[in-house]
Amino acid sequence: MTEQVRTGYSRGWPAIAAFVVALLFALVSLYWTAGGELGLDTVGGVIEQAVRTGDAGMTAVMVLVTVIKLVGAVFALALVQPWGRVFPRKLLLVLGWLGTAVLVLYGGFLTISEAVVAIGGAPGTETLAFRWHLYLWDPWFLVWGVALGLAMLRMHRR
């Protein structure tokens, strides 16, 4: 591997991390959208019920969410791959910072509010779905947002 390639990847690690996080998230959503039930009880609520009953409206929403996550994964790669230069830099910056803000605010708010509720010992915090949301599903959005934000900082500096 040449020094240029190694340096390019080392500078692009936040975008690669955002890609991996988004892709894994999308694959989980795709699995559940296709009717898979393994781990579905860790999500709980409306999504769990909709998948188990085959609700068409919620399936359509889940397809949209899966597509958005896949687009997010491809977007992260576009920040560090040569083919990403076909998009106007300003568009990438605006969309990237917007995505960062949404992911960090959404994941951060949910994770912090759930942690406060758990610390207070409120009823329902002992459920499987609540614990998975607190420790994995909602922080996953935050991690994705932080990785994307770091990638955006590196892109902004270039």
Side-chain angles (χ1 to χ4, degrees):
M1 190 182 307
T2 68
E3 186 63 33
Q4 181 181 6
V5 171
R6 270 184 279 165
T7 305
Y9 279 112
S10 65
R11 278 188 269 133
W13 73 264
I16 302 300
F19 166 75
V20 169
V21 170
L23 183 62
L24 290 174
F25 219 172
L27 292 174
V28 170
S29 294
L30 178 62
Y31 170 74
W32 286 331
T33 301
E37 294 188 9
L38 182 67
L40 193 56
D41 54 343
T42 67
V43 176
V46 177
I47 295 173
E48 179 183 4
Q49 299 226 330
V51 170
R52 294 194 193 282
T53 61
D55 180 85
M58 183 54 96
T59 300
V61 169
M62 291 175 63
V63 166
L64 179 62
V65 167
T66 302
V67 168
I68 289 170
K69 290 175 181 178
L70 287 170
V71 167
V74 171
F75 178 86
L77 272 186
L79 298 176
V80 293
Q81 294 296 313
W83 54 262
R85 293 188 193 114
V86 301
F87 302 104
R89 178 177 166 78
K90 189 169 186 166
L91 177 66
L92 291 176
L93 286 169
V94 168
L95 292 177
W97 284 119
L98 180 63
T100 297
V102 167
L103 290 166
V104 168
L105 290 174
Y106 181 76
F109 174 78
L110 289 176
T111 302
I112 291 169
S113 62
E114 289 162 354
V116 168
V117 169
I119 290 168
T125 58
E126 71 285 347
T127 66
L128 178 70
F130 182 87
R131 287 192 312 263
W132 276 81
H133 276 274
L134 173 60
Y135 298 118
L136 179 68
W137 300 127
D138 299 332
W140 200 332
F141 284 105
L142 182 58
V143 169
W144 180 8
V146 168
L148 183 59
L150 291 172
M152 294 309 301
L153 280 174
R154 288 171 184 249
M155 180 186 179
H156 191 78
R157 289 181 184 153
R158 274 188 276 146

